[in-house]
Amino acid sequence: MREDLKKRTNSTSAIPEKQGDRLALSLLDWLTLGCISIVILFASHWGGVFSTPPQSGLMPTEGGLAILNGVGIAIILIISGLAGLIIVGREWQKPVAIGLIPGAAGAFTAMGIWSALSVFHAPQKAFSLNALAVLCAALMTGCLTARLARNRNALLILLITVIGAGTIAGASGVNEYLSYWKQGVWNHRTFGNFANPDFLSGFLLLTLPVTLAYFAAAKDSLLRLAVGFSLGIQSACSLLTGSRAGAGVLLISLIIFMLLCLALNVFKGYGRRLGIAILVFAVGAVLGLAPTRSRVVGKGDAPPAGKSGTTAPPVQNTMSAMEAAAASQSHSGEFRKYTWQGTVRMGMKNLILGTGIGDFETTYPRYALTAFTAHAHNGYLQFMSECGLPALLLLIAGLAAISAFTAHAILFARNSSGTAELAANQKSDFILDVVSKPMLLCGAAASIAASLIHNAIDSDWYIVATLMVLSVLLGLLCSLAREGAPLTTQIPRPLSKMMIAALALVSLAIIWRGSAASIARMNTDSAAIAMQSGEGAKAVESLNNAADADRFDPEPALNLAIIQAAINRRPEALQSLQKAVRIAPTGRTYYRLAQFYSKTGDLPNAIESFERARIAEPHNLQNLKALADTLVKAGQQERADLVYKDMAALENEPYGKVRAMPELVETDFANAHVGLGDSASASKKWELADREYSLADTILAEYWSRRSQEMEQSISPDKRKSIAELYEVMLTRWIFALNNLPNPPSDKIQKIKAEQSKVHADREADDQALQQLQSGSTPSSNP
């Protein structure tokens, strides 16, 4: 039987036995494969964010493995670079000729080079270098996967690794949902280990079709049981994210999978297996349906209870829920539409080299039509705006080359009587063996197709875990398609010495970037711990070490300025802030420098720095308020009024009406109205002051009524305190303005005084509740 299998395999792949032996993996190959597997599994837990994870200033991370939330991506880069160096040694000693896919390698190589050129345009070089390192690591990982998967066992191990990554992500998401469900929050959208639920959904779109295919194709019963459990976990978590688009694309991916199975005649003999796989998927999806269903039909769709425990007719409640859901979907669509328009503007202004890969968060505010967003909600538009149109065309060309090659292989396999299949009753040589490799090809193709579609409505490929898994699946797809394609469509060729040398340099660059980022993050965390312990000198030393480790990152200098200003070393603080501006001339660094000038009384330099920040971020309300307030201090009231008016005008434009989180009240618009009201009062224009204070009151009263909601609690305590103070002060000034009208409206004045008394009482109650909470006691309640 074994000899018969060997003959069949050789005849279908058209590779002689001697050639097959030469393609066997060496120890170094297996070490490389191990590194790739570690990277994929590691990324599923600590790579669910952008290439530069968010920093919490000088707040220390939690103990244990929490430090990996900051340096996890750096470790992924280091291990990826090591994998590249290992394969360099192996290929240098004994080059192996592998069938290349025409056009793919050239397109992706050119894309990587073009992306590297875009770094020179980036104002925030650290972000760009991190993103470029991740992109190079992904491209290299995909290339290595395509080469290593020439070995059947290596291919199966990598597929199981992808399934394992999906299991880790799915289990984390399910566990998170259960913790909320126990508290009665049944419609919680789970994040898992990812930046937001939509990104978790995008990741599972890559792993789910492959898991389903492997479950249907696995030969070992215990393995099928384990993969079936993973399939159920992943399908449940996919719906628990509450991503409507994700659910729709998932359905499309299943249709694509079925159509590909039909094209390859996979249903013949394996229809029952596929039916069971679909059933397991459906059960998991139904169990996780609640959050997605709540976003489709509305969160208030639970029917109210009637008399004697019966259920009242839900007609009216269902209508309001559907209206709420429709409004939510409409807002989400509007926000994406304006974000895409702003991204296109950004790309058209930087058509050739873009603004710098990975630097969207820094550069986009200059072109934004709506409020802040960290990504473009469209990976293709974002890549075009960051790296230029040529880079996007090269990306499309590479993907098209792989797609065309896969389609050719499918057509060839369909028309050939010698499709490489393993009969289900044959004895397995390896526990991961499968009954049908074409079924795996269908699963990998469906996964990639799903990601291609979803990336058009979210920037999925900017999430490190998603990009790394996508690269591995593309490599596996190339390998699976290569087995079924005739040799006339391939070009067996070893890596040249020049290519090997280039791979070594890229690997070293990836390791350097990962090492620099990790050392800088760890030193920043050490500085935070030192500050918490009152060791200022040690904190300064750690931040200096962080700055030395990563000379492209302005964060150590910005944090150092905070400490230096706190211990009254103002000249050193100014030098640190100026250094941060030199490293990264962005709106954020100029704003921090302007704040320092303002606090030290250097108003001319403060105004100049605020204006520079305004050029980088024209609609940043925080910066506009600070600029206007500084202009007032400098006696430039007319210029201040113009800035306040610009802020107020934004309130009625898409920037103020279409926001990423519409449930969060934008209180900065109230600052503009209060500023204009104060200016009107100073000029004794009492009616104008009344109007402006009234507009401010509308905003602040809405915020005040919702201040205890979870979304509003995300605002920093300092800002919540400043909003409360602004509210009380505004009411006092409003009353003063009304009393100066020719006919003071007594009823209106009394109403405002009552509102002011309530705000004051609420503040006292909030402060008392906070003190009791901090002391660990429970507030007493009246009977």
Side-chain angles (χ1 to χ4, degrees), residues 614-630:
R614 186 182 187 182
I615 293 172
E617 302 183 23
H619 299 157
N620 187 311
L621 296 176
Q622 189 178 20
N623 181 71
L624 290 173
K625 175 188 179 297
L627 171 60
D629 291 348
T630 307

Side-chain angles (χ1 to χ4, degrees), residues 603-605 607-608 611 627-644 679:
L603 299 185
N605 276 324
I607 292 171
E608 181 184 357
E611 289 286 9
L627 171 60
D629 291 348
T630 307
L631 288 169
V632 171
K633 291 180 183 178
Q636 302 182 39
Q637 186 65 55
E638 290 185 4
R639 283 185 63 188
D641 287 349
L642 291 175
V643 177
Y644 285 134
S679 177

Side-chain angles (χ1 to χ4, degrees), residues 234-253:
Q234 291 182 51
S235 61
C237 185
S238 180
L239 274 295
L240 289 175
T241 63
S243 173
R244 298 178 295 248
V249 175
L250 181 58
L251 179 61
I252 293 172
S253 72

Side-chain angles (χ1 to χ4, degrees), residues 462-723:
Y462 278 83
I463 297 300
V464 175
T466 306
L467 181 62
M468 297 303 293
V469 171
L470 173 69
S471 67
V472 168
L473 284 176
L474 284 170
L476 291 173
L477 182 65
C478 291
S479 181
L480 288 164
R482 189 166 54 214
E483 288 194 16
L487 284 176
T488 55
T489 63
Q490 306 175 48
I491 310 172
R493 181 191 305 165
L495 295 176
S496 66
K497 295 295 184 181
M498 183 176 293
M499 294 175 65
I500 295 174
L503 180 59
L505 291 175
V506 171
S507 299
L508 289 172
I510 292 172
I511 293 174
W512 161 74
R513 192 59 211 159
S515 301
S518 62
I519 293 172
R521 281 296 179 102
M522 288 188 290
N523 274 287
T524 300
D525 196 62
S526 297
I529 295 173
M531 281 295 294
Q532 198 174 55
S533 304
E535 302 176 78
K538 185 178 179 181
V540 170
E541 180 185 0
S542 296
L543 287 174
N544 282 324
N545 291 336
D548 292 338
D550 190 353
R551 297 182 180 276
F552 297 98
D553 189 358
E555 291 301 320
L558 292 174
N559 289 327
L560 192 58
I562 294 175
I563 299 175
Q564 291 165 335
I567 59 179
N568 206 29
R569 294 169 60 178
R570 292 184 176 180
E572 291 88 341
L574 177 58
Q575 290 176 2
S576 296
L577 289 168
Q578 290 172 338
K579 178 182 177 181
V581 168
R582 287 194 303 272
I583 294 173
T586 65
R588 183 168 181 268
T589 55
Y590 273 118
Y591 175 76
R592 290 284 300 277
L593 178 61
Q595 280 185 310
F596 178 85
Y597 281 133
S598 180
K599 289 177 181 178
T600 56
D602 189 350
L603 299 185
N605 276 324
I607 292 171
E608 181 184 357
S609 297
F610 280 131
E611 289 286 9
R612 288 183 177 273
R614 186 182 187 182
I615 293 172
E617 302 183 23
H619 299 157
N620 187 311
L621 296 176
Q622 189 178 20
N623 181 71
L624 290 173
K625 175 188 179 297
L627 171 60
D629 291 348
T630 307
L631 288 169
V632 171
K633 291 180 183 178
Q636 302 182 39
Q637 186 65 55
E638 290 185 4
R639 283 185 63 188
D641 287 349
L642 291 175
V643 177
Y644 285 134
K645 288 177 181 177
D646 286 344
M647 290 178 64
L650 291 173
E651 184 179 1
N652 296 314
E653 294 180 4
Y655 188 90
K657 293 186 172 298
V658 183
R659 303 191 301 274
M661 294 181 290
E663 60 273 24
L664 186 65
V665 179
E666 184 53 84
T667 57
D668 282 330
F669 289 124
N671 287 302
H673 292 300
V674 171
L676 290 171
D678 292 345
S679 177
S681 293
S683 302
K684 297 184 179 182
K685 299 177 181 178
W686 307 116
E687 292 182 357
L688 178 59
D690 175 26
R691 188 184 71 183
E692 293 296 341
Y693 289 137
S694 177
L695 292 172
D697 181 67
T698 301
I699 298 170
L700 293 172
E702 182 183 3
Y703 161 80
W704 199 253
S705 66
R706 298 161 60 175
R707 71 189 186 282
S708 299
Q709 295 183 9
E710 180 182 0
M711 186 60 65
E712 303 295 343
Q713 290 296 314
S714 63
I715 301 174
S716 67
D718 289 341
K719 185 168 183 179
R720 290 202 299 272
K721 181 179 178 181
S722 67
I723 295 171

Side-chain angles (χ1 to χ4, degrees), residues 113 173 223 319 327 697:
I113 295 172
L223 177 64
M319 285 298 294
D697 181 67

Side-chain angles (χ1 to χ4, degrees), residues 129-377:
L129 288 171
N130 292 344
L132 179 64
V134 169
L135 175 63
C136 290
L139 291 173
M140 186 175 65
T141 299
C143 176
L144 297 182
T145 298
R147 296 182 69 82
L148 296 174
R150 65 182 182 266
N151 178 281
R152 178 185 182 81
N153 293 343
L155 184 148
L156 296 175
I157 288 172
L158 288 169
L159 278 170
I160 283 293
T161 301
V162 170
I163 294 171
T167 307
I168 293 172
S172 174
V174 170
N175 181 64
E176 176 191 326
Y177 176 80
L178 290 176
S179 66
Y180 279 86
W181 179 73
K182 290 177 182 178
Q183 302 174 34
V185 186
W186 57 269
N187 57 359
H188 169 73
R189 296 185 65 193
T190 185
F191 285 63
N193 305 317
F194 285 72
N196 65 45
D198 293 329
F199 286 138
L200 174 56
S201 175
F203 180 80
L204 292 174
L205 285 173
L206 274 174
T207 61
L208 256 169
V210 168
T211 304
L212 188 147
Y214 208 115
F215 171 72
K219 295 184 72 174
D220 184 82
S221 299
L222 290 178
L223 177 64
R224 289 194 73 202
L225 182 63
V227 176
F229 175 77
S230 174
L231 177 61
I233 288 289
Q234 291 182 51
S235 61
C237 185
S238 180
L239 274 295
L240 289 175
T241 63
S243 173
R244 298 178 295 248
V249 175
L250 181 58
L251 179 61
I252 293 172
S253 72
L254 293 180
I255 295 173
I256 292 173
F257 174 71
M258 293 300 181
L259 292 175
L260 290 174
C261 286
L262 283 172
L264 283 173
N265 296 320
V266 173
F267 279 107
K268 186 177 180 180
Y270 305 123
R272 182 173 176 274
R273 284 171 167 265
L274 289 169
I276 296 174
I278 294 296
L279 178 62
V280 172
F281 166 82
V283 170
V286 170
L287 292 176
L289 189 60
T292 302
R293 181 172 177 268
S294 72
R295 298 195 74 212
V296 172
V297 301
K299 295 182 179 180
D301 60 338
K307 296 179 181 180
S308 305
T310 60
T311 301
V315 176
Q316 188 65 35
N317 189 53
T318 302
M319 285 298 294
S320 61
M322 291 177 64
E323 290 171 357
S328 174
Q329 294 177 38
S330 174
H331 175 86
S332 178
E334 282 289 293
F335 185 80
R336 276 181 164 81
K337 182 188 75 174
Y338 282 111
T339 301
W340 294 342
Q341 290 178 4
T343 305
V344 170
R345 288 177 60 199
M346 176 176 165
M348 295 304 293
K349 292 287 186 179
N350 305 273
L351 194 60
I352 305 303
L353 287 177
T355 61
I357 183 173
D359 209 21
F360 182 88
E361 180 178 338
T362 301
T363 313
Y364 173 72
R366 180 176 297 183
Y367 308 94
L369 299 174
T370 56
F372 173 78
T373 179
H375 60 98
H377 297 276

